Amino acid sequence: MVSQRTRLSAQMVRTIRALSDARTLRDAADVLNTSQSSLSRALRGAEARLGVTLFQRGWSGTEPTAEGEIVLGQCTRIMDDLHRFERVDLGTPAGRARFATFARWRHLEAVAAVVHTGSATAAAREMGVQQPAVSQALRDVSAYVGPALFARCKGGLRPTETGRALAALWARIGADLDQIADMLKRESSGLAGRIAVGMLPFSGQNFVMETFGEISRTNPNLRLVAVPGSYTSLCEALKRREIDLIVGILRAPPPEGFSEEYLYNETITAVARRDHPCHAAPVDLAVLAGLRWMVAPHGTPIRRYFEWLFAGITPAPVPQSCEILSFSNAEQVVVGNDSVALLCYSDVGLGNLRPELRRVDIDLPEAGVPIGITRNIGEAPSLAVSAFEALLKRRVGQPDPA
């Protein structure tokens, strides 16, 4: 008989699949028409059997760990197979699913054993159970399958086409279940786990993406998450452990509960589309004050710099606030309008400025801004996060520690 100590149960498989789609226990429970406590028990049981953590709290809700992704892949195969059998072999109309919802492994195993041995008595011996348990399993599965699974004949039970198809289905499901432990063991080399990075607008985003590319080449089991967001939203996510760190402009000092580590400087730069009139002649702050501006919202370091830059100049420019969390998207907006914008660039980034844009020819005072990592105080990073930070520091030009 199937070992309940090593294989995931049907309830566990359904729970893992539903939770990956719904992202919360409450919504997954609604999908499966069960209670959250029942789902929690099934999830804990699955993690205990496999010896791994399958889900963790993430930016968009509950998300699978690296090991969870492996298990989820097998659970998805199994659920797809169940639904395919229901739709094709049973001809169940869409919206009237019963088989995939109620199937239990002991039921399918009993059918397969009877198909193999030809009788309930022989199947019971093969499974190591009493004959009444097999007979009850056949009655249970017949209630939600519909077509007859066996026809009585001299000497035993002859499987129908549906019975043979169900036995074949169990062979596939059993193989998928048995592969999980080997897959987890095989994929355990290299770093594993999650690296979730919050990315502040206009600063360091390209280095994060490049470091993700580098670390993923040799560590295929990592789950990489890049979350662009405002400083406030990312700090809240960091407090809730939905992300592991934030890369971007440092606040110096950081808010209570956070620490900051400097990485490098970027430069606040005025840019406009290449054919903007501001490029036609030399400009100073008085000239720039009369132009249209697009600047980050109030409370951001870039907005404070803009207000400091034009303090005392009359009339003061009235900028259009624009909160765009993607650097490339912000540049695209500048290309398409008549405004001058303040964006942060590294030396490499400014050297690779997109051809539709051009730096406004003025040296802005005190335009350097510190870029770095923000973390929760007292929280030791995982091995994967530590490896990411080391690669990021090397990429931005920091020397390796002695």
Side-chain angles (χ1 to χ4, degrees):
M1 193 172 187
V2 176
S3 172
Q4 298 300 314
R5 294 187 300 273
T6 57
R7 281 179 172 170
L8 297 180
S9 69
Q11 183 187 22
M12 292 172 182
V13 169
R14 278 189 281 267
T15 295
I16 293 167
R17 186 70 187 93
L19 187 54
S20 71
D21 286 340
R23 295 301 185 102
T24 68
L25 279 171
R26 182 187 62 190
D27 292 340
D30 289 341
V31 170
L32 296 179
N33 194 28
T34 188
S35 66
Q36 293 185 49
S37 59
S38 177
L39 245 64
S40 295
R41 287 194 298 272
L43 179 59
R44 290 195 301 269
E47 292 178 329
R49 289 188 186 185
L50 298 175
V52 297
T53 299
L54 298 175
F55 289 91
Q56 62 193 347
R57 184 170 187 168
W59 173 256
S60 57
T62 302
E63 61 185 25
T65 62
E67 295 85 358
E69 291 279 8
I70 294 170
V71 177
L72 174 59
Q74 291 299 94
C75 291
T76 298
R77 282 173 54 90
I78 291 169
M79 291 307 301
D80 287 347
D81 213 353
L82 288 169
H83 284 293
R84 191 181 305 109
F85 178 86
E86 183 175 67
R87 185 178 64 255
V88 177
D89 292 275
L90 301 183
T92 304
R96 295 178 57 187
R98 283 178 52 84
F99 175 76
T101 301
F102 294 106
R104 300 292 184 268
W105 300 160
R106 68 178 184 276
H107 299 159
L108 307 190
E109 186 187 19
V111 172
V114 174
V115 169
H116 178 249
T117 62
S119 73
T121 301
R125 286 196 299 268
E126 182 177 274
M127 296 170 64
V129 299
Q130 297 297 313
Q131 188 272 337
V134 174
S135 297
Q136 183 62 53
L138 295 182
R139 287 193 295 271
D140 290 343
V141 73
S142 297
Y144 55 75
V145 167
L149 300 176
F150 299 95
R152 293 196 175 276
C153 62
K154 186 177 180 180
L157 298 172
R158 184 179 69 252
T160 63
E161 183 177 345
T162 301
R164 286 191 293 270
L166 195 56
L169 171 68
W170 172 240
R172 296 192 299 271
I173 289 176
D176 285 337
L177 291 169
D178 290 342
Q179 288 172 8
I180 291 175
D182 288 340
M183 292 173 71
L184 289 171
K185 184 177 180 180
R186 186 168 61 249
E187 298 295 332
S188 63
S189 60
L191 295 171
R194 180 193 71 173
I195 304 173
V197 180
M199 301 191 302
L200 291 173
F202 316 147
S203 51
Q205 294 186 359
N206 60 317
F207 287 123
V208 172
M209 294 297 97
E210 291 167 2
T211 305
F212 270 4
E214 182 178 0
I215 200 170
S216 65
R217 284 201 298 268
T218 53
N219 299 281
N221 303 316
L222 286 174
R223 179 177 176 83
L224 305 177
V225 182
V227 182
S230 67
Y231 189 75
T232 300
S233 65
L234 292 180
C235 284
E236 288 300 315
L238 191 57
K239 287 180 184 178
R240 296 191 298 265
R241 304 323 193 253
E242 294 171 351
I243 58 176
D244 301 306
L245 52 92
I246 300 171
V247 174
I249 299 176
L250 300 179
R251 265 36 183 188
E256 184 179 356
F258 298 119
S259 65
E260 293 183 335
E261 181 180 1
Y262 170 82
L263 292 177
Y264 69 102
N265 271 353
E266 287 191 354
T267 304
I268 298 176
T269 305
V271 296
R273 70 171 196 270
R274 176 163 288 278
D275 60 350
H276 194 284
C278 70
H279 302 304
V283 295
D284 56 19
L285 289 180
V287 172
L288 290 178
L291 300 177
R292 293 181 59 187
W293 281 87
M294 186 184 75
V295 186
H298 288 284
T300 62
I302 301 295
R303 184 58 170 259
R304 287 196 292 268
Y305 178 83
F306 175 84
E307 293 166 349
W308 170 83
L309 184 66
F310 289 103
I313 294 180
T314 305
V318 180
Q320 179 180 15
S321 292
C322 193
E323 186 169 9
I324 301 176
L325 304 180
S326 164
F327 191 85
S328 61
N329 289 344
E331 287 188 321
Q332 187 61 49
V333 172
V334 180
V335 170
N337 68 20
D338 295 323
S339 299
V340 179
L342 285 182
L343 300 177
C344 274
Y345 286 93
S346 65
D347 292 341
V348 173
L350 196 56
N352 295 325
L353 189 66
R354 60 192 298 170
E356 303 97 328
L357 294 177
R358 182 176 170 184
R359 174 183 173 272
V360 178
D361 190 14
I362 184 173
D363 291 326
L364 299 177
E366 301 183 35
V369 291
I371 307 300
I373 297 172
T374 302
R375 311 181 185 86
N376 288 311
I377 288 178
E379 185 171 297
S382 67
L383 291 176
V385 172
S386 294
F388 167 83
E389 291 182 3
L391 290 176
L392 178 64
K393 292 173 184 178
R394 189 182 314 157
R395 188 165 286 277
V396 302
Q398 282 199 7
D400 290 332

